[in-house]
Amino acid sequence: MTGQSSGGFAVAGADPDEAERRIQQWAQGFAEKAQRYQEVQAQTEQLRLSASSPDGRIKVTVRADGSVTDLEFTDKIRSMPPNELAAQILSTMHRAQADIAGKVGETMAATLGDEDQQTRSMMLDNLRERFPEQPEDEVEEESSSKWDGPAEDDETPAPPAAPAAPTAPPAQPRRPRFEDEDDEFGPDFDPLRD
């Protein structure tokens, strides 16, 4: 029986200098791997991905963690209804985020090569789940909910109304009183209702 195990570590009775040398190599390998992962982290933190809305009115830039770093508008957004503006901002942000996994994967491959495929796969799968890729031909869909106002096909703003004669300010609505006056919301309070 030799003094070596299949894992590369010496067993009892083997040359102590050889065992120490192998442990040093093993530790050095971990130190080098940690340094490569730190390089990947530093490079990933510097990544910025941008996308623009189809009409070019909105540009969103995100970090590799998905957070928005910059939001740019052209003057053309002034004619957009608020719900359409919000929908386009979110859609453009999602398009910017959609390539995060791809760019992080490229960074990892350039620095790590084929090392730690299982770890890399797990990390990239997590990013793909958080920031799914969007098909190239996906047309911007407006989301509809009870919060959306009426859709406007015409982008030109309506002309201002003629000035009205001065009138008294509108009366403030009275707050209904509830049985339990300590409860400021009342039994029918719904925080999601306008």
Side-chain angles (χ1 to χ4, degrees):
M1 179 174 176
T2 66
Q4 305 273 325
S5 71
S6 63
F9 288 108
V11 291
D15 181 15
D17 291 336
E18 178 65 18
E20 185 176 329
R21 186 181 65 74
R22 289 185 181 263
I23 290 172
Q24 297 265 341
Q25 287 176 334
W26 182 70
Q28 181 65 32
F30 274 116
E32 290 170 359
K33 181 185 275 192
Q35 183 177 5
R36 286 190 300 275
Y37 271 94
Q38 287 174 345
E39 289 174 26
V40 167
Q41 181 181 2
Q43 292 172 11
T44 300
E45 287 174 357
Q46 298 301 314
L47 282 176
R48 298 295 182 267
L49 297 100
S50 296
S52 295
S53 61
D55 59 10
R57 295 179 187 191
I58 299 164
K59 180 180 177 185
V60 179
T61 302
V62 298
R63 288 185 179 104
D65 66 1
S67 62
V68 175
T69 63
D70 194 25
L71 182 59
E72 297 175 29
F73 301 117
T74 66
D75 287 337
K76 294 178 182 180
I77 65 150
R78 295 175 193 240
S79 62
M80 293 177 74
N83 62 333
E84 183 182 336
L85 175 61
Q88 280 203 19
I89 290 170
L90 289 174
S91 175
T92 305
M93 180 183 74
H94 290 151
R95 278 203 318 279
Q97 293 170 334
D99 200 24
I100 288 174
K103 292 296 183 187
V104 170
E106 290 172 12
T107 301
M108 292 179 85
T111 306
L112 300 175
D114 291 335
E115 188 174 329
D116 286 340
Q117 288 292 332
Q118 184 177 5
T119 302
R120 182 182 320 175
S121 177
M122 195 169 58
M123 291 173 62
L124 294 178
D125 287 347
N126 179 278
L127 287 172
R128 285 185 195 101
E129 184 178 313
R130 289 177 54 210
F131 309 113
E133 294 179 10
Q134 295 186 345
E136 293 293 324
D137 61 345
E138 180 176 285
V139 177
E140 210 165 294
E141 298 174 15
E142 288 192 37
S143 60
S144 174
S145 74
K146 70 177 189 173
W147 299 101
D148 287 346
E152 293 182 26
D153 293 333
D154 188 353
E155 291 189 18
T156 58
T167 60
Q172 293 292 328
R174 296 187 65 135
R175 183 175 160 218
R177 297 190 64 92
F178 300 105
E179 291 177 21
D180 181 8
E181 292 204 4
D182 289 338
D183 181 8
E184 69 181 58
F185 299 114
D188 295 323
F189 176 72
D190 181 359
L192 299 177
R193 185 175 55 208
D194 271 4

